[in-house]
Amino acid sequence: MPRQSYFITGTDTDSGKTVVTAGLLRLAARNGLRTLAMKPLASGCEQTPEGLRNADALALSQAMTESMPYESVNPVALEPAIAPHVAAREAGRRVSAERLAGFCRGAMMRPADLFLVEGAGGWRVPLNDHETWVDLVSDLQFPVILVVGLRLGAINHALLSAELIQRDGCRLAGWVANRCTPEPMAREDETFETLCERMPAPCMGRVPWLASRDPTAMAEEASRHLSLPLPGA
């Protein structure tokens, strides 16, 4: 079983979950750790000769040290770039927290020191008509790392997300601030300072805007602005 396992969620879509997840994988590798990662459910996939492929899942595959087939990294791949539960319904696919947890446990049978599972969207994005990511994380009992997109509304979105994660009975291991746009938001430093004062978990880093669109380069650069979660967090 992996020594440390975490679920990565965000304050919203495009908050920077994949950049941060890949960055943590690269940082762990530099520290001599074996790493695995999954994006068990992804919408917005592209048709390729090998089948549906998701850019985020491919970025995680490139960043982790251990090898897994794509189908193990992203077992539920959906083509439309819409809410996953809607895409699954339109594709006639059954998605449940229990099924996704089974995929995750299968990956956890592989040896690794760090195992990261990236969600889709934010904390309360539905998996189906009755379940959300909360049900998967509760089943796996993973601590949560929250990625906060630095844009207008970040303070409210971050504090509400952190409050819900804890109210849902899950552990918030830490949070990461990520700039989502080339230009800084107004009063970005003040926003970050407010989050540091009010968030109920340690800050694991502040990732600047990354100009490169190459996933490997982005992961490497992001890793230099991150710290690994504390053991047991």
Side-chain angles (χ1 to χ4, degrees):
M1 298 288 282
R3 190 185 311 159
Q4 293 189 72
S5 300
Y6 298 91
F7 181 81
I8 315 292
T9 191
T11 47
D12 203 348
T13 299
D14 294 330
S15 58
K17 295 185 300 297
T18 302
V19 166
V20 169
T21 305
L24 289 171
L25 293 170
R26 290 294 307 133
L27 177 58
R30 280 208 308 275
N31 282 269
L33 302 179
R34 297 172 300 172
T35 62
L36 285 171
M38 288 182 66
K39 191 174 179 80
L41 171 62
S43 55
C45 300
E46 293 186 3
Q47 287 284 0
T48 74
E50 293 77 32
L52 286 171
R53 294 293 184 264
N54 176 262
D56 293 346
L58 291 171
L60 299 186
S61 294
Q62 294 173 20
M64 63 192 192
T65 64
E66 308 306 294
S67 178
M68 278 202 306
Y70 179 85
E71 290 73 19
S72 296
V73 177
N74 174 213
V76 182
L78 304 165
E79 187 169 4
I82 57 178
H85 73 294
V86 177
R89 185 187 305 139
E90 290 181 355
R93 298 285 299 274
R94 175 182 172 272
V95 175
S96 68
E98 180 181 22
R99 189 158 181 253
L100 296 182
F103 291 132
C104 293
R105 291 193 174 97
M108 290 167 68
M109 298 302 293
R110 300 168 182 267
D113 301 305
L114 179 68
F115 179 51
L116 302 179
V117 175
E118 181 189 330
W123 181 244
R124 284 295 178 86
V125 165
L127 300 178
N128 52 48
D129 291 340
H130 309 290
E131 296 179 308
T132 69
W133 287 111
V134 179
D135 297 280
L136 172 65
V137 179
S138 298
D139 188 338
L140 295 172
Q141 297 187 338
F142 280 7
V144 179
I145 296 171
L146 175 66
V147 179
V148 178
L150 289 177
R151 51 192 169 201
L152 189 63
I155 295 173
N156 185 59
H157 292 161
L159 295 178
L160 284 176
S161 295
E163 180 181 341
L164 278 176
I165 289 166
Q166 294 185 314
R167 185 179 294 180
D168 288 333
C170 300
R171 269 192 304 141
L172 183 63
W175 62 281
V176 174
N178 177 66
R179 183 190 289 178
C180 306
T181 58
E183 296 300 320
M185 64 177 288
R187 303 295 188 273
E188 184 177 297
D189 289 341
E190 291 89 337
T191 295
F192 179 70
E193 290 167 5
T194 300
L195 289 170
C196 289
E197 292 168 359
R198 295 174 180 263
M199 288 289 282
C203 178
M204 294 167 52
R206 181 179 177 181
V207 179
W209 170 255
L210 304 177
S212 173
R213 296 295 91 191
D214 176 71
T216 300
M218 292 176 72
E220 186 62 32
E221 178 60 24
S223 73
R224 303 186 187 282
H225 301 274
L226 296 168
S227 60
L228 292 173
L230 296 172

